[in-house]
């Protein structure tokens, strides 16, 4: 069931990033892959086990065994040719200091700028194309069913890190990448920095007598995310109330319901956050021009916020940038 939730979340996010995109690396392959059948279990790893002692230093002590969503994975030596098929993992790898070990990343891994972007499709991976880069470790967030078996036949280990459901999942994945790549110090430093920055943002938030309401738009057809999702947790840290929660009270849509225009207008959210600006050219102006939307509280109070789709849809280190942008918008409105 958790695996299905992860796939559904990925489908909604990729749909938002793919529909109407002018970027050639962002369409149909991703959409097709997220609907592929899979029996792989469970979502993002929340724990890990290792044979390495607790005094491990950068460079790593091998072999190391970690717990993944598809079972234990043992890495015999420090990987020096890492291939990432996950934009979130790519950002994490570079942030913990493993960038020099990364030889290739998928077509959607457009950050950081120095990432070695290729034409590899993350959701429809071609094993032969991957092997051309001679990786000694592949990191992926999805397996359509043949990636793991194909690379295993070639003796290449795959570390699966499915979509994060909570912030704790993010910290666990960063720690795990540090352990596997021999960058434990960098991973610990990154997690500490993220936690400190998040705490600092939360501490600056005003106390609300009535929590401001918001609508987070994943695409122009009104797909959104509830408080039960990773995206929703970020908003929850700031004390905001999600109008979408009423549309999926029992989790029937796994936290990603599609709202109607009437539902949004009736809810009259105080804030509208747009995570479909790059994919779908949605702007403050186009939102205000929608029939009936000019009277929304968010529109009249200039609280429609344009977000970076990539940052808003990835569970990597830049999630704190996202949190800071949302907090700044809320604080400015409250002030």
């Amino acid at each position: 069931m958790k695996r299905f939730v992860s796939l559904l979340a990925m489908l909604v996010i990729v749909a938002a990033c793919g529909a109407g995109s002018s970027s050639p690396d962002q369409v149909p392959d991703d959409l097709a892959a997220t609907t592929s059948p899979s029996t792989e279990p469970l979502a993002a790893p929340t724990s890990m086990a290792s044979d390495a002692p607790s005094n491990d230093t950068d460079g790593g002590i091998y072999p190391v065994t970690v717990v993944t969503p598809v079972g234990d994975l043992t890495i015999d030596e420090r990987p020096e040719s890492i291939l990432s098929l996950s934009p979130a993992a790519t950002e994490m790898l570079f942030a913990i200091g493993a960038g020099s070990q990364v030889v290739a990343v998928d077509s959607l891994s457009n950050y950081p700028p120095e990432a070695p972007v290729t034409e590899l499709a993350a959701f429809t991976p071609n094993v032969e194309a991957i092997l051309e880069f001679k990786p000694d470790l592949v990191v992926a967030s999805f397996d359509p069913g043949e990636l793991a078996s194909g690379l295993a036949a070639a003796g290449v280990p795959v570390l699966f890190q499915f979509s994060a459901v909570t912030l704790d999942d993010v910290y666990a994945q960063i720690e795990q990448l540090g352990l596997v790549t021999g960058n434990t110090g960098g991973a610990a430093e990154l997690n500490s920095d993220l936690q400190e920055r998040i705490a600092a943002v939360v501490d600056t938030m005003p106390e609300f007598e009535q929590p401001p309401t918001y609508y987070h738009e994943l695409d122009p057809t009104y797909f959104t995310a509830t408080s039960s999702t990773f995206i929703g947790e970020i908003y929850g840290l700031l004390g905001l109330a999600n109008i979408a929660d009423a549309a999926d009270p029992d989790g029937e849509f796994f936290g990603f319901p599609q709202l109607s225009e009437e539902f949004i207008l009736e809810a009259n959210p105080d804030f509208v956050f747009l995570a479909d600006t790059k994919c779908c050219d949605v702007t403050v102006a186009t939102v205000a021009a929608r029939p009936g939307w000019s009277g929304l509280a968010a529109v009249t109070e200039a609280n429609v916020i344009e977000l970076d789709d990539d940052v808003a849809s990835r569970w990597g280190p830049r999630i704190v940038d996202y949190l800071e942008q949302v907090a700044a918008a809320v604080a400015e409105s409250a002030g």
Side-chain angles (χ1 to χ4, degrees):
M1 180 63 71
K2 290 183 180 179
R3 175 59 173 154
F4 178 75
V5 173
S6 180
L7 290 177
L8 179 62
M10 197 179 301
L11 173 60
V12 172
I13 291 171
V14 170
C17 293
S21 173
S22 60
S23 178
D25 61 1
Q26 283 190 339
V27 246
D29 286 349
D30 295 350
L31 288 171
T34 52
T35 57
S36 299
S38 175
T39 57
E40 309 295 351
L42 309 188
T46 56
S47 63
M48 61 191 69
S50 172
D51 295 327
S54 59
N55 64 348
D56 183 21
T57 58
D58 277 6
I61 297 177
Y62 296 89
V64 60
T65 299
V66 295
V67 178
T68 82
V70 298
D72 291 357
L73 174 68
T74 298
I75 305 297
D76 295 324
E77 298 178 338
R78 185 176 191 262
E80 299 295 344
S81 301
I82 302 171
L83 189 149
S84 173
L85 295 174
S86 163
T90 296
E91 295 193 19
M92 292 178 187
L93 286 165
F94 278 84
I96 66 175
S100 63
Q101 297 162 254
V102 179
V103 296
V105 300
D106 70 281
S107 61
L108 295 178
S109 288
N110 55 8
Y111 189 89
E114 61 268 29
V117 180
T118 69
E119 296 182 358
L120 292 172
F123 300 124
T124 54
N126 182 302
V127 172
E128 291 184 0
I130 290 171
L131 292 176
E132 289 181 4
F133 292 94
K134 297 180 170 44
D136 50 19
L137 175 67
V138 171
V139 183
S141 61
F142 175 80
D143 186 0
E146 300 177 355
L147 178 64
S149 59
L151 290 177
V156 178
V158 184
L159 172 61
F160 286 106
Q161 293 189 324
F162 294 162
S163 303
V165 179
T166 67
L167 274 171
D168 285 342
D169 291 341
V170 177
Y171 301 140
Q173 289 188 9
I174 290 172
E175 183 181 354
Q176 188 177 71
L177 285 173
L179 190 63
V180 166
T181 66
N183 292 277
T184 55
E189 184 176 348
L190 176 60
N191 273 342
S192 177
D193 178 63
L194 294 179
Q195 291 165 357
E196 288 177 5
R197 288 175 61 193
I198 288 174
V201 172
V202 173
D203 286 345
T204 63
M205 292 301 295
E207 293 187 9
F208 304 109
E209 291 185 10
Q210 188 73 24
T213 58
Y214 76 92
Y215 159 60
H216 177 92
E217 183 167 290
L218 288 171
D219 78 349
T221 68
Y222 310 132
F223 270 103
T224 187
T226 69
S227 297
S228 67
T229 66
F230 173 74
I231 297 170
E233 181 182 0
I234 299 300
Y235 289 104
L237 291 172
L238 303 177
L240 305 185
N242 193 334
I243 68 166
D245 291 348
D248 192 25
D250 302 320
E252 179 183 358
F253 302 104
F254 305 98
F256 293 93
Q258 183 179 30
L259 306 182
S260 67
E261 195 165 49
E262 292 74 20
F263 181 97
I264 298 169
L265 293 175
E266 183 175 349
N268 193 23
D270 298 308
F271 291 88
V272 171
F273 295 99
L274 303 174
D276 51 0
T277 58
K278 293 170 67 175
C279 73
C280 312
D281 296 323
V282 177
T283 66
V284 171
T286 62
V287 167
R290 293 171 178 173
W293 286 60
S294 61
L296 278 184
V299 174
T300 60
E301 297 298 321
N303 287 332
V304 179
I305 313 301
E306 297 177 4
L307 303 171
D308 183 311
D309 302 26
D310 293 337
V311 177
S313 64
R314 297 176 188 173
W315 56 97
R318 289 191 294 166
I319 196 64
V320 184
D321 298 340
Y322 176 40
L323 180 71
E324 290 171 342
Q325 181 183 0
V326 173
V330 175
E332 181 179 352
S333 176

